[in-house]
Amino acid sequence: MGELGGKTLDWVDGTILMVDQTKLPTSVEVLQIATVSDLVDAIRRLSVRGAPAIGVAGAFGVVLAAKVDGVGTEAFAAAVESIRSARPTAVNLAKMVDRVVATSDGGFDAVLAEAYAVRDDELVASVKMGDNGADLVVELTGRSDSVRALTICNTGGLASVERGTALAVIQTLHERGLLEEAVALETRPLLQGARLTAWELQQMGAPFRLIVDSAGPHLISTGSVHVVLVGADRIAANGDTANKIGTYSLALAARYSRVPFVVVAPESTIDMATVTGDDIEIEDRGDDEVVCFAGVASAPDGTHALNPAFDVTPAELITAIVTDTRVVRLDRGESLDSGQG
Ligand code: MRU
């Protein structure tokens, strides 16, 4: 990871370098991506994943397309569209691709400068979300130490460029000496919690335990955690939030047990063009991830699966949405209407 200087991905020597997240935690390997089709494959198989990270990957993907095809050509437009649609749920991918393409009249240098700006904006946003979220956790829980926070999937530096979103809040709590324990859901079927979040928590020296996904609502109901912190793949204009499958059941449990449920995401994840959660396309990732485990069949041959990668938590179950620029208290009737989005 040395060549990435601690980042999850970057533009280096005319190519995209990224940590291959499918290899963690057993090995830390860096992938070098030199073509748009290799980038699209990497996004689809989750070598790079997490809403902000695929937004940055998409931004650098436009640079690759500009380099190989030249801006403004038919091949450039086709390459851009293949990146844009590689995964449907996280809005950051299409949004960041569009943001960089909008500068393409300025040629390759303008496109590269905008992609770097996308990367740098995410870096700054992660630090601000960490601070805003940690302040809010103290306010909501009334705890000035010993916070126990539950989280799902991976929302750390691996899902962004550095630090991340919900896990950035946990990291900030830890750095401020306020974190008693993070509780991480393993996050079936691809184990982003077990493979990636546990690895990142270990790297930062934070106290944590790992649980099976179905233990989440139980631990919320028994008062074992003070707050639930989750990321987002797309936040609709009314606050409905798509995130990793299993998030909705945590929100239901949190509401029933009066535990604060907080969504942490950069402004770039808010999609004011999507009116409600009903309008969010949920990616279905097919049978294999469910009927096999580590390449070994875990269900009888011929079994078909339902494999929605995300679910939608209605705004009314969300206590607050924390972004890099604001805290929107949905529990107090505030909405996303004002400010950036
Ligand atoms: O399928 P994934 O691993 O890309 O899903 C990621 C999530 O659901 C994250 O919670 C979300 O993208 C926010 S990441 C900061």
Side-chain angles (χ1 to χ4, degrees), residues 95 237 266-268 270-273 323-328 334-341:
K95 240 193 196 183
E267 288 288 330
S268 53
I270 298 172
D271 180 16
M272 296 306 276
T323 79
D324 42 319
T325 61
R326 55 187 169 151
V327 172
V328 183
E334 293 176 6
S335 72
L336 293 166
D337 286 333
S338 55
Q340 316 80 319

Side-chain angles (χ1 to χ4, degrees), residues 177-200:
L178 304 181
L179 183 72
E180 181 182 326
E181 182 171 62
V183 176
L185 273 78
E186 59 178 356
T187 318
R188 276 280 288 151
L190 293 179
L191 301 181
Q192 289 94 328
R195 294 186 304 105
L196 309 177
T197 300
W199 184 77
E200 289 195 309

Side-chain angles (χ1 to χ4, degrees), residues 46 49-52 87 153-155 159 165 192 231-233 243-244 310:
L46 310 199
R49 45 141 304 279
R87 293 188 78 190
C153 197
N154 172 265
T155 60
T165 63
Q192 289 94 328
D233 287 86
N243 191 50
K244 181 53 58 192
F310 304 97

Side-chain angles (χ1 to χ4, degrees), residues 122 125-127 129-130 155-169 171 264:
E122 291 302 347
S126 283
V127 175
M129 282 182 276
T155 60
L158 290 166
S160 185
V161 183
E162 283 179 11
R163 294 184 78 90
T165 63
L167 205 61
V169 176
Q171 182 168 359
V264 187

Side-chain angles (χ1 to χ4, degrees), residues 280-298:
I280 299 175
E281 183 182 345
I282 300 294
E283 175 183 5
D284 190 302
R285 293 188 54 84
D287 294 346
D288 288 358
E289 294 171 356
V290 180
V291 301
C292 297
F293 190 79
V296 178
S298 57

